[in-house]
Structures are given as structure tokens and as C-alpha cells.
Amino acid sequence: TVKLNWADSRYATQYDVYLWPDGTSKPAQPTKKDLGTSEFQTTETLTTQKLYYWQVIAKNPYQQTSGPYWRFTTE
């Protein structure tokens, strides 16, 4: 599994996280929705020696802001 964390967004009250393997498109629905903290740990084991991408959407009741795409490779 992997634990992702990021800097808090000043006005965010929730976060959506998208996580997807290289060679596939970003999923239409978040991997985890409405997180109240700025971290997420996967519950499933990821494929070894594989490139993954992830993105965080910071939200509050009035707006949402998309963060950059990040990437990592599993060992």
C-alpha cells in the first residue's frame, strides 16, 4: 500500500484523491472522495515496479481547485 499526503489548502474543507496506473486514463470518479484530512492511504496493494499518477482536488462548499498531477513508481 502507499500513503499519500500533501500540504493543506487554506480554505479547503474536504479533498478528493484520484490515483491511477500509467497507461490508463485518469478515472472519472475519485479513488477516495470527501477526505477531511490531507492524507490518503490505499487499502489495496499496488503493482510493483509500476508508475502511478495522482491528483488532489481541494474543495469547500463554494468552489474546488485542482492540484497538479504527481507521480511515483512502486518498488
Side-chain angles (χ1 to χ4, degrees):
T1 64
V2 66
K3 185 175 186 178
L4 306 173
N5 57 50
W6 54 92
D8 289 334
S9 177
R10 184 175 182 173
Y11 300 108
T13 56
Q14 295 179 321
Y15 302 94
D16 291 348
V17 176
Y18 293 80
L19 176 65
W20 66 100
D22 187 41
T24 64
S25 299
K26 177 183 167 184
Q29 297 297 316
T31 306
K32 186 66 176 178
K33 186 176 175 117
D34 299 333
L35 288 167
T37 62
S38 56
E39 66 180 34
F40 167 67
Q41 183 157 352
T42 61
T43 55
E44 58 191 53
T45 302
L46 303 180
T47 304
T48 58
Q49 298 182 348
K50 179 88 174 167
L51 177 64
Y52 285 87
Y53 295 93
W54 62 290
Q55 183 184 33
V56 175
I57 310 297
K59 308 183 307 181
N60 66 37
Y62 308 104
Q63 65 182 11
Q64 65 181 32
T65 302
S66 299
Y69 288 5
W70 295 91
R71 65 182 180 194
F72 64 91
T73 301
T74 55
E75 294 183 344

